[in-house]
Amino acid sequence: QVQLVDSGGGLVQAGGSLRLSCVISGGSVSRYRMGWFRQAPGKEREFVAAIRRDGETTSGGDFVKGRFTITRDNAKNTVWLQMHSLKPEDTAVYYCAASAALLLSRSPSAYDYWGQGTQVTVSS
């Protein structure tokens, strides 16, 4: 059974950086489309970024541009979300997700497997 374990969250000051990791077990990350989502209290789950099997990526809204980067290492069965210039509004639980589908998708319903989430808190 495919399982995702995401980690790397924590408390960081505004302007700081974090790198979130997602390790997949029970399957090879090379066979999955991987995504990152986030959910702040009282808000819907929000798409952050995704990476296809062939490495093609897509990102969420303007909040991502120039600050967040998704990468993968098939040999390590790991996907990362590198985040720079963090802002208090980036505070949320961040989730990695996986799907065997080929095309990139920004919809949470398009992903079959989810990590447990890792808390990111950005202080002002």
Side-chain angles (χ1 to χ4, degrees), residues 97-117:
S99 169
L102 293 176
L103 299 180
L104 290 170
S105 175
R106 301 182 176 191
S107 172
S109 63
Y111 292 81
D112 304 307
Y113 307 100
W114 291 84
Q116 80 284 2

Side-chain angles (χ1 to χ4, degrees), residues 6-21 36-39 46-49 63-71 79-96 118-122:
D6 37 32
S7 62
L11 175 63
V12 63
Q13 289 188 334
S17 299
L18 283 174
R19 188 175 77 159
L20 307 183
S21 300
W36 284 99
F37 292 79
R38 69 183 188 182
Q39 189 165 18
E46 180 179 38
F47 173 73
V48 176
F63 71 90
V64 175
K65 294 179 181 179
R67 298 194 303 129
F68 295 0
T69 303
I70 185 171
T71 56
V79 174
W80 291 277
L81 182 68
Q82 179 68 56
M83 305 186 293
H84 296 294
S85 302
L86 285 164
K87 305 174 182 179
E89 51 263 44
D90 294 319
T91 295
V93 178
Y94 284 70
Y95 298 90
C96 70
T118 184
Q119 176 70 48
V120 172
T121 303
V122 185

Side-chain angles (χ1 to χ4, degrees), residues 4-62:
L4 306 179
V5 178
D6 37 32
S7 62
L11 175 63
V12 63
Q13 289 188 334
S17 299
L18 283 174
R19 188 175 77 159
L20 307 183
S21 300
C22 176
V23 179
I24 189 168
S25 61
S28 173
V29 74
S30 63
R31 299 182 61 185
Y32 295 94
R33 170 187 70 195
M34 304 295 296
W36 284 99
F37 292 79
R38 69 183 188 182
Q39 189 165 18
K43 294 187 177 181
E44 293 186 351
R45 194 160 294 191
E46 180 179 38
F47 173 73
V48 176
I51 186 166
R52 213 168 62 172
R53 296 182 195 178
D54 61 2
E56 180 180 343
T57 63
T58 188
S59 299
D62 289 342

